[in-house]
C-alpha cells in the first residue's frame, strides 16, 4: 500500500470556482449525477464542459504501466472509465495489454473512442461482474467519491477481490479546512469525501491494500 501520485503529469484543470458555486443547486446536482450528455459535454458549470480526447492521458498511461510493471497480455480494468480515454492510451503505450473499462454512464459508453469499442461495460462500481483475481491491476480515477460511503467500501472490496494489492484509486480530498472550503464550492457529484485520514480509515475497513492518491481542488 502506498500513496503515489500517478496523475502527476496530467495538466491542471482550469476552474471558475465562483461560477460553479452559483450552479450548485439541488436540480443541477441531480442532473450532473445522471452522468449524461449535460455532465460530459454540456456547460462547464454542470460537469466537464466538453469531455474530448486530446492525448493528455498518454503520460499517465506510461506511468501506470511502469508503476505496475505491466507486460503484454496483462489485464487492466479502469473503473469509472467514462469514454475510455485511459483504456485507449494504456493499449497504445503497451501493445498487447488487455485493457477494459467499466462505467455507469450509458452516454459516456456510447460516445467512447472507437479503439475501445467492445472493451467497455456498463455496471456500477460496487458490484463488478468479474471473477476473483481476474485482473493484473484495477484503476479507479476520480470515481469512488461519487458513491455513498457504504457503496465506496463495497467498491474497494471489489477492486481488492479482482486484483489483490494491485489497485490504484484517486479520490477527492483536502488537507486543510481552507482546501475543504474550496472543494465544497466546487463539488457537484461526490457523495462521500474526507480528509486523507478519513479515506485511509475507509480503505482499512474495506481491506483495500492497493495504492491511492488525492484530487485536491486549489
Ligand atoms: C469524474 S468522472 C472520471 C472519469 C475518468 N476516470 C477521468 O478521470 O477522466 C467520474 C466517472 O464515474 C462514473 N461513475 C459514477 N458513479 C459510478 C458508479 N457507481 N459506478 C461506475 N462508474 C460511476 C461517471 O459516469 C464518470 O464517468
Amino acid at each position: 500500500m502506498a500513496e503515489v501520485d500517478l496523475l502527476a503529469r496530467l495538466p491542471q484543470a482550469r476552474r471558475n470556482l465562483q461560477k460553479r458555486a452559483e450552479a450548485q443547486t439541488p436540480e443541477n446536482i441531480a442532473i450532473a449525477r445522471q452522468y449524461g450528455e449535460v455532465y460530459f459535454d454540456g456547460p462547464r458549470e454542470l460537469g466537464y464542459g466538453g469531455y474530448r480526447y486530446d492525448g493528455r492521458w498518454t503520460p499517465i498511461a506510461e506511468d501506470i504501466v511502469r508503476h505496475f510493471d505491466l507486460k503484454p497480455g496483462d489485464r487492466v480494468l479502469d473503473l469509472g472509465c467514462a469514454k475510455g480515454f485511459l483504456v485507449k492510451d494504456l493499449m497504445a503505450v503497451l501493445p498487447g495489454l488487455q485493457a477494459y473499462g467499466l462505467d455507469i454512464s450509458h452516454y459516456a459508453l456510447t460516445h467512447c473512442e472507437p479503439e475501445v469499442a467492445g472493451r467497455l461495460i456498463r455496471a456500477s462500481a460496487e458490484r463488478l461482474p468479474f471473477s476473483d483475481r481476474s485482473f493484473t491491476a484495477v484503476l479507479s480515477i476520480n470515481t469512488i467519491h461519487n458513491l455513498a460511503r457504504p457503496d465506496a467500501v463495497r467498491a474497494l472490496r471489489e477492486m481488492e477481490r479482482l486484483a489483490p494489492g494491485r489497485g490504484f484509486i484517486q479520490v477527492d480530498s483536502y488537507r486543510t479546512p481552507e482546501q475543504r472550503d474550496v472543494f465544497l464550492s466546487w463539488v457537484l457529484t461526490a457523495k462521500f469525501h474526507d480528509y486523507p485520514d478519513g479515506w485511509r480509515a475507509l480503505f482499512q475497513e474495506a481491506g483495500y491494500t492497493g495504492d491511492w492518491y488525492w484530487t485536491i481542488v486549489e
Side-chain angles (χ1 to χ4, degrees):
M1 267 186 116
E3 182 170 309
V4 48
D5 185 3
L6 287 182
L7 272 63
R9 294 203 283 155
L10 192 68
Q12 287 288 317
R14 279 208 305 233
R15 297 183 166 102
N16 183 330
L17 294 175
Q18 196 188 329
K19 237 178 153 184
R20 173 60 75 83
E22 287 163 12
Q24 284 173 317
T25 64
E27 294 77 21
N28 285 344
I29 288 171
I31 291 169
R33 284 182 177 160
Q34 290 171 10
Y35 302 108
E37 181 172 6
V38 170
Y39 176 73
F40 287 98
D41 293 319
R44 178 68 168 136
E45 303 87 81
L46 296 182
Y48 276 100
Y51 190 80
R52 286 181 283 271
Y53 181 82
D54 62 5
R56 71 178 59 200
W57 289 95
T58 301
I60 317 314
E62 290 168 353
D63 290 347
I64 289 170
V65 165
R66 200 171 307 120
H67 178 71
F68 287 105
D69 192 22
L70 297 172
K71 305 274 187 270
D74 284 347
R75 287 165 51 84
V76 176
L77 178 66
D78 181 17
L79 207 55
C81 64
K83 296 182 185 177
F85 300 164
L86 180 59
V87 174
K88 165 174 163 161
D89 288 348
L90 282 165
M91 292 194 301
V93 302
L94 181 60
L97 182 73
Q98 299 301 313
Y100 300 91
L102 178 147
D103 203 286
I104 204 166
S105 167
H106 180 260
Y107 175 81
L109 298 180
T110 53
H111 291 77
C112 69
E113 291 295 295
E115 293 85 345
V116 300
R119 294 188 164 271
L120 311 184
I121 70 155
R122 186 160 186 233
S124 192
E126 73 276 11
R127 195 176 308 161
L128 302 178
F130 302 102
S131 50
D132 297 358
R133 298 177 179 264
S134 49
F135 287 91
T136 319
V138 179
L139 321 164
S140 188
I141 296 172
N142 292 327
T143 295
I144 299 297
H145 48 236
N146 293 319
L147 281 66
R149 194 181 187 287
D151 282 338
V153 171
R154 288 186 193 105
L156 287 182
R157 280 199 188 116
E158 284 290 80
M159 289 180 68
E160 188 70 19
R161 181 177 68 77
L162 300 195
R166 305 266 302 171
F168 173 74
I169 82 164
Q170 173 131 347
V171 285
D172 282 339
S173 190
Y174 26 76
R175 297 184 202 275
T176 64
E178 292 74 24
Q179 286 180 341
R180 183 171 186 276
D181 287 345
V182 173
F183 171 76
L184 291 177
S185 72
W186 178 257
V187 61
L188 266 187
T189 55
K191 292 183 177 167
F192 176 76
H193 46 85
D194 209 335
Y195 289 92
D197 277 355
W199 274 113
R200 278 190 284 262
L202 189 155
F203 299 163
Q204 205 172 6
E205 188 179 329
Y208 174 74
T209 65
D211 304 327
W212 69 87
Y213 206 68
W214 321 116
T215 293
I216 295 181
V217 181
E218 303 196 83

